[in-house]
Amino acid sequence: MSRLQAERVSLGYADRTVVDGLDLAVPDGRITAVVGPNACGKSTLLRGMARLLRPRSGSVLLDGAAIHTRSSKDVAKVLGLLPQSPISPEGVTVVDLVGRGRHPHQGMLRLWSSDDERAVADALAATHTTDLAERFVDELSGGQRQRVWIAMALAQETDLLLLDEPTTFLDVAHQVELLELLRDLNASRGTTIVMVLHELNLAGGFADHLVAMREGRIVAEGDPTAVLTAETVRAVFGLPCQVIPHPVSGTPLVVPLGRSDQKEAR
């Protein structure tokens, strides 16, 4: 059984249902990417699976138990979340913010330790933010700030890591660098990673498992090669395209077709 799964889960806000009767078993030890058009429920699903949003019906299970029956601190020891557009307190330095990723491991009888120091140093090094350690977070560029938030999530050292649009604010080079970092983390530690992505070609290139959503439901899931087809992309995004193998990696590469391209394809 998957460590993290949703069973017939419905999620929403006020009188609006966003995710409706969804089932998802997150593959253990693999990288899962969730894709879909804006407002299809991707981020809402992630919030529900991270215990931030209580299901209206159904349940989210963590290690076989409903996640909302467990304390926030217990969940935070095994599941880390990088939300969309996180906000840092004013006047906090990078090293202090990253250090907050160690809070779930603290207690009345356990103070800051050498393990905490190592975890923070490793997270800063992995995200290439060591040289920013003493700077204030609110002085950083959007891309630098995003890498610092990733560092905080890594410092938490959880077995499960959920990231909502982690490539936001990053240029193309840093997007690839970040996804390579997550792939290395998955390979070296066996960390199960679930991330919401907008860029289909990055999702197809870096994920082991792909989930395509539309209007609060899963349209297709599985190996990226099976999910990223011209038919599925059109059904999910309304986007005419061709899907070809990447010339180097062989992963699926989505090529959008404009009106003139479609005429020529005929």
Side-chain angles (χ1 to χ4, degrees):
M1 184 177 69
S2 168
R3 291 197 67 188
L4 182 64
Q5 55 188 324
E7 293 187 345
R8 304 299 299 166
V9 72
S10 293
L11 301 158
Y13 309 95
D15 59 351
R16 183 169 63 97
T17 297
V18 179
V19 171
D20 189 13
L22 183 146
D23 291 306
L24 176 63
V26 174
D28 293 330
R30 302 178 72 192
I31 298 176
T32 295
V34 184
V35 299
N38 290 337
C40 73
K42 303 184 300 296
S43 297
T44 299
L45 173 61
L46 218 63
R47 286 173 56 82
M49 298 193 83
R51 196 185 173 279
L52 297 182
L53 188 61
R54 184 177 290 275
R56 294 180 168 186
S57 62
S59 58
V60 174
L61 303 179
L62 177 62
D63 293 329
I67 196 169
H68 286 86
T69 65
R70 302 179 60 169
S71 71
S72 298
K73 190 166 186 176
D74 284 345
V75 170
K77 289 178 181 177
V78 295
L79 188 152
L81 171 70
L82 177 67
Q84 193 177 129
S85 302
I87 299 173
S88 63
E90 275 189 46
V92 65
T93 64
V94 167
V95 69
D96 287 339
L97 182 66
V98 176
R100 295 184 184 206
R102 302 301 298 167
H103 283 186
H105 304 280
Q106 307 298 312
M108 294 187 64
L109 301 179
R110 185 191 182 286
L111 302 178
W112 194 260
S113 69
S114 58
D115 284 343
D116 299 317
E117 292 283 356
R118 175 200 50 76
V120 170
D122 288 351
L124 291 169
T127 52
H128 303 292
T129 53
T130 302
D131 59 336
L132 304 176
E134 301 304 325
R135 291 184 59 183
F136 291 108
V137 175
D138 49 15
E139 295 176 352
L140 304 180
S141 69
Q144 289 173 325
R145 198 176 298 125
Q146 187 73 350
R147 283 189 284 144
V148 168
W149 281 107
I150 294 284
M152 190 188 80
L154 295 185
Q156 202 171 329
E157 291 190 322
T158 59
D159 296 330
L160 292 156
L161 187 57
L162 278 55
L163 305 107
D164 193 357
E165 299 186 30
T167 55
T168 299
F169 304 121
L170 301 181
D171 58 36
V172 174
H174 283 114
Q175 288 180 21
V176 172
E177 183 179 34
L178 170 62
L179 293 174
E180 286 179 337
L181 164 66
L182 294 175
R183 187 161 59 186
D184 291 345
L185 179 69
N186 168 259
S188 62
R189 298 185 188 174
T191 306
T192 299
I193 296 171
V194 183
M195 54 185 176
V196 169
L197 290 178
H198 274 296
E199 173 53 59
L200 292 179
N201 290 328
L202 289 179
F206 285 91
D208 305 307
H209 189 81
L210 201 60
V211 177
M213 290 183 63
R214 183 176 179 84
E215 296 179 351
R217 298 177 182 272
I218 293 176
V219 175
E221 68 169 307
D223 185 277
T225 304
V227 173
L228 280 184
T229 65
E231 294 75 19
T232 300
V233 172
R234 183 186 283 271
V236 172
F237 293 92
L239 176 69
C241 71
Q242 286 189 0
V243 180
I244 61 176
H246 190 285
V248 177
S249 65
T251 56
L253 191 63
V254 177
V255 181
L257 298 178
R259 285 192 295 271
S260 59
D261 297 322
Q262 294 176 62
K263 289 177 182 178
E264 292 179 12
R266 294 183 192 131

